[in-house]
Amino acid sequence: MDAQAFREFGKAAVDFVADYLENIRDHDVLPSVEPGYLLDLLPKQMPETPETWSEVLKDIDRVIKPGLTHWQSPNMHAYYPTSVSYPSIVGEMLASGFSIMGFSWICSPACTELEVVVMDWLAKFLNLPQHFLHENEGPGGGVIQGSASEAVLVAVLAAREQAVRRLRLSQPELSESEIRGKLIAYSSDQSNSCIEKAGVLAAMPIKLLPAGEDLVLRGDALKHAIEQDVAAGLIPVICIASLGTTGTCAYDDIESLATICEQNDVWLHVDAAYAGGAFALEECSELRRGLERVDSLNFNLHKFMLVNFDCAAMWLRDANKVIDSFNVDRIYLKHKHEGQTQIPDFRHWQIPLGRRFRALKVWITFRTLGAEGLRAHIRKHIRLAEQFEDLVKADERFELIAPRALGLVCFRAKGDNEITSQLLQRLMERKKIYMVKAEHCGQLFLRFAVCGMDPKPSDIEFAWTEIESQLTSLCAEQQVNSRKAGELSELTHHLSGLHLTNETLQR
Ligand code: PLP
């Protein structure tokens, strides 16, 4: 493909995406394909001779689009939002156009330095403690990881390596493998699956501590677990708290956890993958309580900051702890400016060597929307969730399972789990809206997350009408079925009476 064809293909693709996003409400949020649908539509081998881009674009419409779940639809209410905005798409396109590798400063100074700039902009926007800023000249700073899972894994691995080094000095009688075999980490039973997975990948068990009835993990639960484990000869390493759990967006008590971590030399990481966006709002300042005492934290711009996947911000109070843990060098990776503050070689802050120019889409998004636009976006999600919460509260057939938190409402149909389960099944079959279920204390509930590129109050009304009307018809069907069942049992009873009479007659 030459540059001219690229111009034409690229422009057609931009039109295609703009049409897709502008008309996203035309599609059911869930696709209507069966497993294996694509395998039947495509040849088993790549084409031997080149095809035209227009043929390929037609196939994107014919083959790919029908198999998409439309995450940018305002009728998407499952999981948490996955952000996108037009400026961010352009940023992604430009970054692909440059196709640079930003693993060290010399590999593209603009990539490293723009990341330093936007991570400091973001830290200030979110009102994070000063020590997380690069401009403070170390040792703290921010970095963009691919996902929250990677950020958590980096924190877990760094905490583990720091603990091993510390213990080798303080307990020289223990071998390294003995130390590694005793390490233990903590999180809440409400935390995201990526935290348990980080433990598996780091070969360090993560104990999932019971959150309170309000789904909050507090210092007393951590203290109790640490005391038990230390008595059993184990070595506590890290606690991963959540600000905004995946199930109900509950906020762990960072202050009390920090106290226990400080007393026990335990790294405290905060996973604020979704809720971190709310740190920017003065009315949510409570959420930031205790952040000045944590060692590291992560927040997904691709969830709540209008930047498309992948873009997970992570801040470290002392980045040297990660750099020292991960620093594996080769002569060909060295350059004459390495080690200078404010020009970090981000390859030491992450798992892979290569790194994408993610800061570009962040910078373009922040500049074209401004802090004002970003705050308005978060407030809009909160307002829409409040609208949905009011609808739930006004219908006595439903109940909230937890207080609304930011753009998430957790609710269920009153009664046993079966009715909520059947309601969800019906909604999934109809494909008009998409929610997922969760469970708390044996109660099944539905998570309604405000998602999509541009959700509006009318979309919330649409979702609510779909939910409540399906409950109405489900209940009506159940009434008909139970009436039929009643009639049937009456008839059976009657027939068995007749049978007896016949027998009697025969006798
Ligand atoms: N943490 C929380 C609280 C989440 O809700 C999620 C995903 O929804 C994750 C972590 C994992 O995020 P990622 O897909 O970026 O790894």
Side-chain angles (χ1 to χ4, degrees):
M1 184 175 288
D2 60 16
Q4 184 51 32
F6 167 62
R7 281 177 209 278
E8 289 163 16
F9 190 10
K11 285 173 189 164
V14 167
D15 280 341
F16 183 93
V17 171
D19 286 344
Y20 169 71
L21 290 172
E22 210 172 22
N23 300 306
I24 199 138
R25 287 176 180 79
D26 295 349
H27 305 285
D28 284 345
V29 61
L30 283 164
S32 293
V33 294
E34 295 300 323
Y37 93 98
L38 189 75
L39 306 180
D40 295 335
L41 288 174
L42 294 182
K44 299 281 174 250
Q45 295 196 25
M46 73 165 83
E48 188 58 37
T49 53
E51 297 180 60
T52 63
W53 64 259
S54 54
E55 281 171 300
V56 178
L57 197 55
K58 265 188 235 145
D59 272 356
I60 290 178
D61 206 34
R62 181 182 70 89
V63 180
I64 304 298
K65 235 168 87 178
L68 294 180
T69 299
H70 300 287
W71 283 73
Q72 295 315 319
S73 164
N75 302 323
M76 174 75 175
H77 300 293
Y79 312 105
Y80 273 135
T82 184
S83 277
V84 75
S85 62
Y86 292 123
S88 154
I89 297 172
V90 175
E92 187 77 58
M93 197 171 88
L94 289 170
S96 299
F98 295 138
S99 279
I100 54 106
M101 273 293 156
F103 52 81
S104 61
W105 179 85
I106 193 64
C107 287
S108 261
C111 176
T112 299
E113 295 195 19
L114 192 62
E115 191 155 328
V116 166
V117 169
V118 296
M119 287 305 291
D120 276 6
W121 281 10
L122 184 58
K124 290 178 193 169
F125 174 71
L126 298 176
N127 302 294
L128 297 185
Q130 282 288 320
H131 55 241
F132 286 126
L133 298 181
H134 287 280
E135 71 181 26
N136 264 10
E137 301 206 0
V143 59
I144 307 177
Q145 308 282 3
S147 64
S149 312
E150 282 172 56
V152 169
L153 182 58
V154 164
V156 166
L157 292 173
R160 186 191 70 183
E161 291 314 298
Q162 292 298 308
V164 170
R165 286 171 196 201
R166 205 172 55 237
L167 283 147
R168 293 223 59 181
L169 293 176
S170 65
Q171 298 192 35
E173 69 283 5
L174 291 178
S175 70
E176 183 169 333
S177 60
E178 278 172 324
I179 293 171
R180 288 188 186 277
K182 290 173 186 287
L183 303 179
I184 179 116
Y186 305 92
S187 193
S188 131
D189 58 4
Q190 298 299 309
S191 62
N192 186 264
S193 57
C194 75
I195 288 161
E196 199 176 338
K197 188 169 177 180
V200 173
L201 294 171
M204 178 167 64
I206 297 207
K207 221 178 215 185
L208 298 181
L209 306 174
E213 243 179 49
D214 53 1
L215 304 167
V216 172
L217 180 67
R218 295 190 170 76
D220 49 1
L222 179 64
K223 181 171 185 274
H224 181 66
I226 289 180
E227 279 169 1
Q228 269 190 341
D229 289 340
V230 170
L234 297 179
I235 303 165
V237 170
I238 180 170
C239 171
I240 302 110
S242 308
L243 282 177
T245 56
T246 307
T248 60
C249 198
Y251 310 119
D252 290 344
D253 180 11
I254 304 303
E255 290 279 24
S256 66
L257 292 170
T259 301
I260 305 304
C261 287
E262 286 157 6
Q263 286 167 1
N264 292 279
D265 218 348
V266 165
W267 182 304
L268 179 57
H269 178 85
V270 168
D271 172 24
Y274 168 69
F279 298 160
L281 306 183
E282 258 335 289
E283 61 271 30
C284 297
S285 59
E286 244 324 89
L287 286 187
R288 302 195 301 265
R289 227 162 46 86
L291 284 188
E292 66 288 349
R293 298 170 71 185
V294 313
D295 295 285
S296 52
L297 92 138
N298 67 274
F299 159 59
N300 280 358
L301 284 92
H302 62 245
K303 278 188 168 33
F304 222 170
M305 200 84 7
L306 291 163
V307 179
N308 60 293
F309 189 85
D310 53 350
C311 200
M314 177 186 195
W315 288 273
L316 295 146
R317 182 159 49 173
D318 183 354
N320 291 330
K321 290 187 176 166
V322 172
I323 296 168
D324 291 347
S325 305
F326 294 174
N327 192 342
V328 175
D329 245 326
R330 292 287 182 276
I331 192 161
Y332 48 78
L333 294 173
K334 293 194 165 296
H335 62 94
K336 71 176 184 181
H337 299 293
E338 67 184 17
Q340 288 183 21
T341 45
Q342 299 204 0
I343 54 158
D345 283 340
F346 279 126
R347 69 194 152 95
H348 299 308
W349 299 47
Q350 61 173 22
I351 292 160
L353 175 60
R355 64 194 327 267
R356 289 162 28 72
F357 195 174
R358 298 187 189 98
L360 196 56
K361 61 186 174 186
V362 178
W363 186 56
I364 294 174
T365 306
F366 286 3
R367 287 190 61 186
T368 52
L369 297 174
E372 190 181 272
L374 296 171
R375 279 192 290 264
H377 170 74
I378 297 165
R379 288 195 174 111
K380 179 168 89 167
H381 275 228
I382 296 174
R383 256 196 334 272
L384 292 174
E386 283 169 349
Q387 180 190 343
F388 186 82
E389 179 190 26
D390 288 345
L391 291 164
V392 174
K393 281 183 179 165
D395 190 325
E396 60 182 18
R397 297 171 300 165
F398 291 94
E399 62 189 348
L400 293 172
I401 197 90
R404 176 200 55 78
L406 305 178
L408 181 71
V409 181
C410 296
F411 72 109
R412 66 194 300 278
K414 282 181 187 164
D416 59 22
N417 285 341
E418 191 51 29
I419 184 89
T420 298
S421 170
Q422 283 184 23
L423 174 62
L424 182 63
Q425 193 184 333
R426 203 170 252 258
L427 294 169
M428 295 287 286
E429 279 161 12
R430 286 171 55 82
K431 305 177 196 297
K432 303 288 176 212
I433 61 169
Y434 181 19
M435 287 183 291
V436 288
K437 61 189 170 192
E439 204 191 357
H440 172 48
C441 293
Q443 283 199 313
L444 196 71
F445 65 92
L446 305 179
R447 296 172 71 265
F448 181 92
V450 175
C451 300
M453 186 168 161
D454 186 21
K456 297 194 176 352
S458 53
D459 297 312
I460 302 299
E461 280 162 30
F462 173 83
W464 177 249
T465 306
E466 174 71 2
I467 294 165
E468 72 83 22
S469 64
Q470 287 313 307
L471 183 67
T472 303
S473 55
L474 189 63
C475 291
E477 277 168 31
Q478 283 188 344
Q479 266 177 6
V480 170
N481 289 344
S482 74
R483 205 180 53 235
K484 279 187 186 154
E487 285 169 3
L488 193 65
S489 95
E490 232 176 70
L491 192 65
T492 319
H493 185 68
H494 185 63
L495 283 176
S496 66
L498 279 179
H499 180 63
L500 269 180
T501 317
N502 277 345
E503 268 184 8
T504 318
L505 278 176
Q506 271 171 13
R507 252 192 255 139

